[in-house]
Amino acid sequence: MHWASQYIGLPWSATGEGPDVFHCWTFFCHVQAKHFGRPTLPAIPYADDLLELAREFRDHPERRHWLEVDLSDAVPGDGVLMRQARFPIHIGVWLDVDGGGVLHCSRDSGVVYQRPSALLVNGWKIHGVYRYVGPVGAA
């Protein structure tokens, strides 16, 4: 049984607060820290305004610590930025389970694992895949 199975079905919350309650960013941060040894990532507040949320993802200083890679080169732990319209507003974690897919926490489903084809069926398009490279200038 894969470690990700312990998260499947946990609920989504706009506050993302609590040990077993997340929104996409708090879930992404939790998985990065607990399963991939990444440092604590800074908060991105949830916003009902999708344009504001897209700006948060686009302009957040943490993005400079992540290098964009092709989906075909994705490895476990890579961040998968997703969109439903023009702008990315959602993030999940790439895992090499069942041919590869994204573990993420969505408003409608809570924590789920979906292959790219299932993401499309549920209205999500992969906008980009990002690999943690650490702070700029770090050795």
Side-chain angles (χ1 to χ4, degrees):
M1 185 188 286
H2 194 274
W3 59 261
S5 62
Q6 67 186 304
Y7 298 110
I8 303 298
L10 290 179
W12 178 92
S13 167
T15 64
E17 297 174 359
D20 293 327
V21 178
F22 302 98
H23 56 62
C24 70
W25 181 251
T26 57
F27 182 68
F28 178 77
C29 293
H30 173 82
V31 170
Q32 290 297 315
K34 184 166 175 98
H35 298 283
F36 296 99
R38 309 283 196 264
T40 301
L41 299 172
I44 290 182
Y46 174 78
D48 278 328
D49 180 333
L50 295 183
L51 187 54
E52 180 182 337
L53 191 56
R55 285 184 186 128
E56 285 284 342
F57 275 115
R58 182 194 69 205
D59 299 337
H60 202 284
E62 181 62 25
R63 287 220 28 196
R64 71 178 180 261
H65 299 165
W66 296 77
L67 175 70
E68 188 167 9
V69 298
D70 288 331
L71 178 61
S72 61
D73 295 327
V75 298
D78 285 351
V80 179
L81 200 53
M82 294 170 273
R83 61 188 172 87
Q84 289 185 317
R86 183 174 174 198
F87 302 107
I89 58 165
H90 188 58
I91 193 161
V93 178
W94 183 263
L95 298 178
D96 280 343
V97 175
D98 192 27
V102 181
L103 183 68
H104 63 111
C105 187
S106 71
R107 172 180 256 173
D108 297 331
S109 306
V111 177
V112 294
Y113 175 78
Q114 296 178 306
R115 295 178 47 118
S117 57
L119 288 168
L120 280 172
V121 168
N122 287 287
W124 292 110
K125 296 177 183 128
I126 294 177
H127 182 82
V129 178
Y130 297 86
R131 183 161 304 141
Y132 183 74
V133 294
V136 175

